[in-house]
Amino acid sequence: VGEAFGPGFDEVLATRRAEADAFFGAVIPEHIDDEERLVARRAFAGLNWCKQLYRYNVREWLEGDPAGPPAPNARRAREPAGRNTSWTHVALADVISMPDEWEYPWFATWDLAFHTVPLAHVDPAFAKFQLLLMCREWAMHPNGQLPAYEWNFSDVNPPVHPWAALVLVGALPALLSDAALCRAAGCGLPSDVVILLHDDGQSGRLLPAADAIVPDREHLDGFADGMENGLRGKTVQVSVAYDDMIEQRNLHA
């Protein structure tokens, strides 16, 4: 191989392999056996490989290409008939961790939150960037909702975004002094916002209420009364995660 790429190729390859071994030797605990170490390295490689530039300007997509045929009127129908028509502010042109850069080359906020947990061990700056990106003004809805995934930004997700931020803080205490990450733990939502969950009576888990939106606490009682999905008055307050993050930050200030 060295002959095809020049005399220094084998030396460079050996150096990079040694650097990778040293890097993962520091990342993966020593007690992990060789088989599990190989699985971990392949998993980290897969996450890094699935970083991709994602460009989606909703307004441009709804209006169509000025140089091409006009977009069909059905594309601009109000949701749920139309897709993402209440998200015309979204203008993403960022590198994002995809579920799979080949089969699923689009972001999903729920998946992304889980991606950041292992990513924090190999690329903490990128992991933090991913959490903050979904809270930026060109992604997060003015009402505080995070875009769910490309096919329907308005779908409701469990509050895994603040959970991921808290996990990152636990893994990397140096981030505790980062006020931006503290805000990400609350998804940028005010303290009077709650997410409604219901017990499906089968799995033992709390799932997002099918028609749930993010209501103001003032109207919570009336909203809950109108639900017909077996809601049992159980709520998850996003502000709890935010308050916990602020408390930890103050302790380590």
Side-chain angles (χ1 to χ4, degrees), residues 59-216:
R59 188 180 297 278
E60 287 183 1
W61 180 77
L62 292 174
E63 295 176 354
D65 190 339
N73 291 331
R75 184 181 292 183
R76 295 186 291 275
R78 292 186 61 182
E79 296 180 25
R83 179 153 63 92
N84 298 333
T85 51
S86 63
W87 294 79
T88 54
H89 67 286
V90 170
L92 288 161
D94 302 272
V95 175
I96 302 178
S97 179
M98 302 288 145
D100 185 283
E101 54 84 31
W102 177 252
E103 289 190 84
Y104 307 101
W106 40 265
F107 83 89
T109 301
W110 188 356
D111 296 58
L112 189 60
F114 289 116
H115 290 184
T116 62
V117 175
L119 276 171
H121 294 280
V122 293
D123 194 345
F126 182 74
K128 185 177 80 169
F129 167 74
Q130 296 296 279
L131 290 177
L132 297 180
L133 176 61
M134 293 298 109
C135 299
R136 298 305 299 267
E137 62 273 18
W138 58 86
M140 185 175 70
H141 198 280
N143 68 10
Q145 184 177 359
L146 302 185
Y149 48 85
E150 180 179 318
W151 308 114
N152 186 0
F153 284 155
S154 296
D155 264 5
V156 177
N157 281 338
V160 292
H161 209 76
W163 167 83
L166 288 170
V167 172
L168 257 66
V169 165
L172 302 164
L175 293 181
L176 283 169
S177 59
D178 193 320
L181 192 58
C182 289
R183 287 193 293 272
C187 302
L189 299 177
S191 60
D192 61 350
V193 169
V194 299
I195 292 179
L196 296 177
L197 301 181
H198 77 284
D199 185 343
D200 64 358
Q202 297 177 342
S203 67
R205 296 180 299 166
L206 292 177
L207 304 174
D211 301 318
I213 58 174
V214 182
D216 187 281

